[in-house]
Amino acid sequence: MPPGDMKDEEKTVDVTMESSSDKNANKDKGKKSSVENKDIVTESNALSEEDKALKERLETCVTTLTGKVIVDEENADTTTAPVPMSSDADEPTALIQLKALQIITTELRSATSSMTSVPKPLKFLRPHYDDLVKFSKDIAASGDGDVEQILLKARMADVLSVLAMTFGNSEERDSLNYKLEAFVQYDRLPAQASLPSSIPKELLPDSKDDNLGSWGHEFVRSLAGEIGQEYNDRVTKKGANPEDDVPFTDLLGMVDCIVPFHIAHNAEAEAVDLLMEVQRLKKLLSLPEGAIDESNYSRMCLYLIKSADFMADPDDLTEVLSVAYQIFLNQKQYFDAMRTALRMGKEEDELKTLIDDCDDELVKKQMCLLLGRHRVNLEYAEDDDLNELIGNAQLSAQFLQLGRDLDVMEAKTPEDIYKSHLAETGGFSRRRDTGVQVDSARANLASTFVNAFVNAGFGQDKLMTPNDNEWLYKNKEHGMMSAAASLGSILLWNVEEGLTQIDKFLYSSEDYVKAGAALAIGIVSSGVRNDADPVLALLQEHVEEGTESSHIMKCAAITGLGIAYAGSKREDVMELLVPIIENTEDNANMLEVSLAALALGMIYVGSCDDVAGTTMLQRLMESSEADLNHSHARLLCVGLALLFLGKLDQCDAMVEAMGTIEHKIGKYGAIVLETCAYARSGNVLEVQQMLHHCTEHLTEDADHQAAAVIGIALISLGEDVGSEMTVRTFDHLLHYCELPIKRAVPLALSLMYISNPEFSVIDTLSRLSHDPDAEISQNAIMGLGIVSAGTNNSRVAGLLRQLSEFYNKEVGHIFCVRIAQGLLHMGKGLLTLNPIHSDRMLTNWPALGAIVTLLHLCLDLKTSLLDKTHYLLYYLTCAMHPRMLITVDEDMTWKPVTVRVGQAVETVGQAGKPKTITGFQTHTTPVLLGSKERAELGTEEVLSVASVLEGIVILKENPDYEPEGDADK
């Protein structure tokens, strides 16, 4: 072909995609083809004219590059010989080859940008891949040469990198190696202004960013995967230091190009994954200004926060969350930054600085409401209003207004809950033999707790708030104490009115009534801060050294302090409790020591406090055999474990020290400590370790195995996949393990589904509640109460009514059934025990600590809740919180709006703006939210200050809203 004709042909080269009709035709014909290698397109595939022209064009280019004559296999006479790409006979060979390569490049780029099947140019170039590789090696061996030669090497490496994505050796990472070689060659080129004028403009090199992105998403994705593999190889096989950038300079240079490309094309998740692979996540913070903006920061941060749940290494976890925190700050999203700061466990000073940095008063208020929900004891002296919000001062008023709005203010009696008139036998409530109802102290005690839980927070009931005190004296000794203490639960969060009603009982002649009143003072202040600090003022005298208060008064005051100051880290309270724990003299009462340790653990929950931890550990080491055999000695271990709740490997030293205690409690304490530290971490290795403890077949001295079972649930808590796997594991434990382990399974199940009555879990617990072993069945009944707490679930209500008939002669069982019924109807269905909040992102550690305490007490019901320390049930008030969504305006007055409430849908990693809820119903606030439900605003008239609609949410007017009528005009 004469050069002139070639020039004309070059002008008419049309780099286009195949038409849709040709695609369909080729698709149908391709199905009939019986060619062994279907990727090599031959005449038998009946190519369209367009495809034939493309094939010939590419083969001509390959021939021009390699100099190899290509023989058409179908027509042996037809050959493709090297053809000059220019009419200029004096043009350098390298320049001609560059032009041929440019045509291949253009065809590949236009084809790989498509999202359809394998691009045609890749199919047509497949037979020539080895020839092109050989040509690349030849020009590499030929030396440096001139600028055209360097550019030819770079462009050749580019093309081979794309072809190697499908034809190369993935184990050798050919695609990445060719791309790295291309970057090396491009770096050797002089600046574009200094390039010879003989090189046509279209042959000039791209910028590095364009060079990567122009080949299409799939190529960049493939390259990112190989970069991760290469990085790991250099670290593991070549011993490169991950902290040092020098061994990875070439890879990181490519990462710096890929990450902005991904972010610009809405692939934030892939950008984050790549940076995690190369352990350079902080590069997100040094991206060019504008790369992360209001359109993509939320998707990126959501992915980072969800990824944090799967970080086994504490340093990696901190890094991921700190990057998300910094992005929120850069975008001035202070509420989300506060959520992330709480997830990281930042100190109070840093939280205070965050509030100070925010200049929007409404956002400040919303942040303080979040701190109140999370039980953070932050003193914000700069603003009394904000300080009140952090101290939950308005919680009682808002809750009572919610009760009035939902018309549930009328007090309920225990009989309203039991509905014993529906029972066939009547249980305790009726006696067929006589028409007279016989009071049982144990039944009355159960009714006290039911009354306390059901009317919690409403400020009125029909047993204790009437002034006749008749109910108080229907109980005996410790029962009187719990009855008096129930006032604290009924008047929960309403400190001023509560103290007025409780005060008269402090002057009773009965020690147990006085003790109950002391406990009630602590309960009524649970989670609420008062400027007068009445709890410490009233209870201090009963706890101080040398006090003449009775033993029961001391126990009540200690427990009251633990409940009132849970999570507050108050040093003045610790100074009261530490001497009680340290007391090792003969007159030391082990119950007081254990309760003081538990109270201290609750006050300093999740703080890793050295003084508290050392004091408890020292007491365990110095205790006699008799002391450690005490029924409540386990609370010393629980109190110590609570100090490290959710703190991961910070517990290691304490676990080692625990191992030195020869008594069996040492093993129990070590496991409780370790499992509490890894609570909600989802750490698979820890779960495996706990399962390993369960492999031993023990029938006695197996407390540590029961603790391990609860620990498995604690570690898997709040993560759907982990919870599902754990439930399956528990099925195996029920089938193959000994009784001590089986007894803990129902408690562990309930821990994973707090206030979330899943059908399958209720089914399992219902089956276990009829188990022949008394402890398994009692724990299953308690489990039913925890799982359904505050939900008014009708199915569980029916099951518990049946159980009350089934066990109507069993005192212990019927007590557990009554407690479970009280929990089920807790707060008349307006409260929850679930410690996980803020769209399942945060854990309220005092709440979780209270539930862990209850479960460990249930491991030995006979000597704890079924004996004389039933008042420890009131620790649950630390976990009680309204499951409400209330919308308020700027002045904190109610502003009812329409909201959609439905099942939460996971949207992490999804492009665009996917639906966040499914199966929703539209309500007007206030509304109640279930544990897995999510709410979103149903109107555009207002905007919410918070990104998560839970609890009390402040609304503001939407400045861009236009009523429909105005829009039509």
Side-chain angles (χ1 to χ4, degrees), residues 482-503:
S482 284
S486 70
L487 264 177
S489 177
I490 294 160
L491 295 155
L492 191 61
W493 309 314
N494 191 346
V495 180
E496 289 176 9
E497 189 182 332
L499 289 175
T500 307
Q501 294 213 32
I502 294 163
D503 185 60

Side-chain angles (χ1 to χ4, degrees), residues 416-475:
D416 294 334
I417 304 305
Y418 303 157
K419 291 186 170 62
S420 46
H421 60 279
L422 299 176
E424 291 175 16
T425 58
F428 282 120
S429 300
R430 290 185 304 182
R431 291 288 183 268
R432 289 179 176 177
D433 306 340
T434 64
V436 182
Q437 185 167 328
V438 180
D439 271 334
S440 148
R442 176 62 62 171
N444 285 350
L445 177 63
S447 295
T448 294
F449 283 110
V450 172
N451 183 58
F453 290 147
V454 172
N455 295 301
F458 283 94
Q460 56 183 5
D461 73 323
K462 292 183 178 175
L463 300 186
M464 287 303 300
T465 49
N467 288 323
D468 55 13
N469 297 340
E470 183 186 342
W471 181 258
L472 194 60
Y473 295 101
K474 286 187 177 179
N475 292 276

Side-chain angles (χ1 to χ4, degrees), residues 568-588:
S568 67
K569 306 185 185 75
R570 289 275 296 265
E571 286 187 21
D572 47 356
V573 183
M574 177 163 69
E575 287 167 9
L576 291 174
L577 296 175
V578 164
I580 300 172
I581 300 170
E582 286 176 337
N583 185 6
T584 53
E585 296 173 13
D586 293 341
N587 65 345

